[in-house]
Amino acid sequence: MPRAAAPRLPRRRPDPFPYLLLLPALLLMAAVNLTPILQGFYMSLLKLNQFTLAQYLDAPFVGLDNYRRVLFDGASPLRAGLGLALRNTLLYTAVVSLSAIAIGLGMALLMNRDFPGRNLARTLLLLPWIVPSYVVGSLWGFMWQRDVGIINTVLVDWLHLLDERPFWLIGANSFWAIVIPTVWRTWPVLMLIFLAALQSIPEDPYEAATLDGVSRWQQFLHITLPLLKPVILIQLMFQIIDNIYSYNLVSMMFGNGAGYPGEWADLLMPLLTRQSFSYWLFGQGAAVSFVMMALMLVFVGLWLRAFRQQMSDTPHA
C-alpha cells in the first residue's frame, strides 16, 4: 500500500524587522564610502588643475583623457619617477609583509607559552602598534639622523659595530629606514591575531604527537602551521594591500609630504600625491588612484580565487 505524502508545511516568510534595523547602518556606510568614490571617479574625468580648481566639479569634462595621459603619455609629470617608485613599493611590500608576519608569528608562539608576567608582556609588546603612523614617521626620522640620531649613537658609540656614522635618510640605506619602522609598528597586531588563532587550536593533536615522540619543530610544521594557514593567508593579503597604499610614514619622515624621499625610499602613494599637488594635476591624480584601485581589485580577486578554500578552512583539527 503506497504511503501517503507528508503534508507540506507552509513556507515561512522572512521577517523584515532585522533588515529594517540594519538599514540605517547600511545607508550610512554607503554614503560614507560610495560618495567619495563616486566623486573621485568624476574628478578623474575632469580637466581639474590650477586654472579650473575654482570650478571644482564644474571643470571641463575630458572623459578618459586623464587615463590616457597617465597610462600612455610619457610626458605626463605624474609618470616622472614612477618606475623607481613602483620598484621600491614592490620590494617594500614584500619585505615588510613577510618580515612582519614572521616576527608576529614567532612572538605569538612565545606569548602562547605559560611564564610569569605573560599578560604584562603581551600588553607591553602591543605598544608600538598604538603609536599613530604619523608619529612613527616623525619619531624614526629623528632617530635616523646621522649626527644626533640615537641609531648611530647606539651602533657607533655604544656597540662599536660601525667605524663611522652612516647616512640613513640618503641613498640605499633610506630603503631600510622606511622598512624597519614599518615592521616595528606592524608585527604587534599580527602577533595578537596569531595568538588568538593559536588559542583556538585544541591540545589533542599535540598530545598525540608528543606520545608518538614527534619533536616540537615537527609539531609546528605539521600541526600548527597547517592549522594557521587560513589566518596567515588572510593577513598576508591585508599586509600586501596596506603596504602598497603606504603613505604616512614616508610622508612624515621626508619633509611632511613635500620632500623627495630619494631614489630608494619613494613609494607610489607619496609620489602620486606629491606630483599631483606640485603640478596641480588633480584630475590626473584621481585617474591614477582609480587605476591603482582597479589593479588592487584584480589582485584581491585573483588572491581569493587562488586561496578561497584555504582561507575558508577553520583553524581547528
Side-chain angles (χ1 to χ4, degrees):
M1 182 177 180
R3 298 177 57 184
R8 299 183 59 180
L9 297 176
R11 190 171 183 178
R12 186 177 180 181
R13 299 181 57 184
D15 186 2
F17 186 67
Y19 299 98
L20 291 176
L21 293 178
L22 292 174
L23 186 60
L26 292 176
L27 292 176
L28 181 61
M29 291 183 63
V32 171
N33 291 284
L34 289 181
T35 302
I37 292 176
L38 294 176
Q39 179 175 298
F41 178 71
Y42 186 65
M43 287 174 59
S44 72
L45 305 177
L46 302 177
K47 187 178 182 180
L48 195 60
N49 52 36
Q50 69 268 39
F51 304 108
T52 60
L53 185 60
Q55 304 175 37
Y56 195 39
L57 297 182
D58 292 328
F61 184 82
V62 294
L64 299 178
D65 188 61
N66 287 330
Y67 290 90
R68 181 190 64 79
R69 286 178 178 274
V70 298
L71 290 176
F72 305 110
D73 186 1
S76 172
L78 289 181
R79 298 188 58 171
L82 190 62
L84 293 176
L86 178 61
R87 177 202 64 185
N88 295 339
T89 302
L90 294 177
L91 290 174
Y92 171 84
T93 300
V95 175
V96 170
S97 300
L98 296 177
S99 301
I101 286 178
I103 297 174
L105 180 57
M107 293 304 296
L109 292 170
L110 290 176
M111 292 298 108
N112 198 37
R113 295 171 175 268
D114 288 326
F115 59 88
R118 183 178 65 173
N119 292 333
L120 178 61
R122 290 176 177 177
T123 304
L124 293 177
L125 288 175
L126 287 175
L127 288 179
W129 178 56
I130 65 176
V131 180
S133 54
Y134 282 102
V135 178
V136 173
S138 299
L139 180 65
W140 280 81
F142 288 114
M143 293 169 63
W144 288 125
Q145 293 293 321
R146 179 177 184 270
D147 295 326
V148 297
I150 188 64
I151 303 295
N152 278 346
T153 300
V154 172
L155 294 178
V156 178
D157 298 339
W158 295 359
L159 300 179
H160 304 290
L161 296 177
L162 301 174
D163 296 330
E164 59 182 13
R165 294 172 176 269
F167 288 98
W168 291 103
L169 300 179
I170 300 175
N173 286 342
S174 58
F175 176 76
W176 300 106
I178 61 174
V179 165
I180 294 174
T182 310
V183 174
W184 175 80
R185 184 179 182 272
T186 305
W187 72 259
V189 67
L190 293 172
M191 176 198 71
L192 190 66
I193 295 171
F194 291 141
L195 185 59
L198 283 171
Q199 293 179 349
S200 69
I201 299 177
E203 291 293 329
D204 300 351
Y206 296 103
E207 293 174 356
T210 303
L211 291 176
D212 291 338
V214 179
S215 66
R216 289 294 185 94
W217 175 247
Q218 292 296 323
Q219 291 181 24
F220 171 75
L221 289 180
H222 300 292
I223 298 176
T224 306
L225 208 53
L227 293 176
L228 288 182
K229 188 176 180 181
V231 182
I232 294 174
L233 287 174
I234 292 174
Q235 294 308 314
L236 182 58
M237 183 182 71
F238 287 163
Q239 285 301 307
I240 292 173
I241 295 173
D242 286 344
N243 291 318
I244 285 180
Y245 284 132
S246 184
Y247 173 80
N248 295 348
L249 191 143
V250 175
S251 172
M252 295 306 296
M253 191 178 292
F254 296 92
N256 298 335
Y260 175 54
E263 179 184 349
W264 285 96
D266 203 12
L267 303 181
L268 280 177
M269 292 310 297
L271 166 76
L272 297 176
T273 305
R274 187 177 66 251
Q275 298 292 77
S276 297
F277 281 84
S278 298
Y279 294 95
W280 297 68
L281 297 175
F282 302 112
Q284 292 187 31
V288 174
S289 300
F290 273 86
V291 170
M292 289 188 63
M293 188 176 73
L295 294 175
M296 194 56 65
L297 287 174
V298 171
F299 162 74
V300 172
L302 294 175
W303 187 275
L304 292 176
R305 184 181 178 86
F307 301 109
R308 181 187 301 274
Q309 183 61 42
Q310 291 90 332
M311 287 193 291
S312 62
D313 293 339
T314 56
H316 297 284

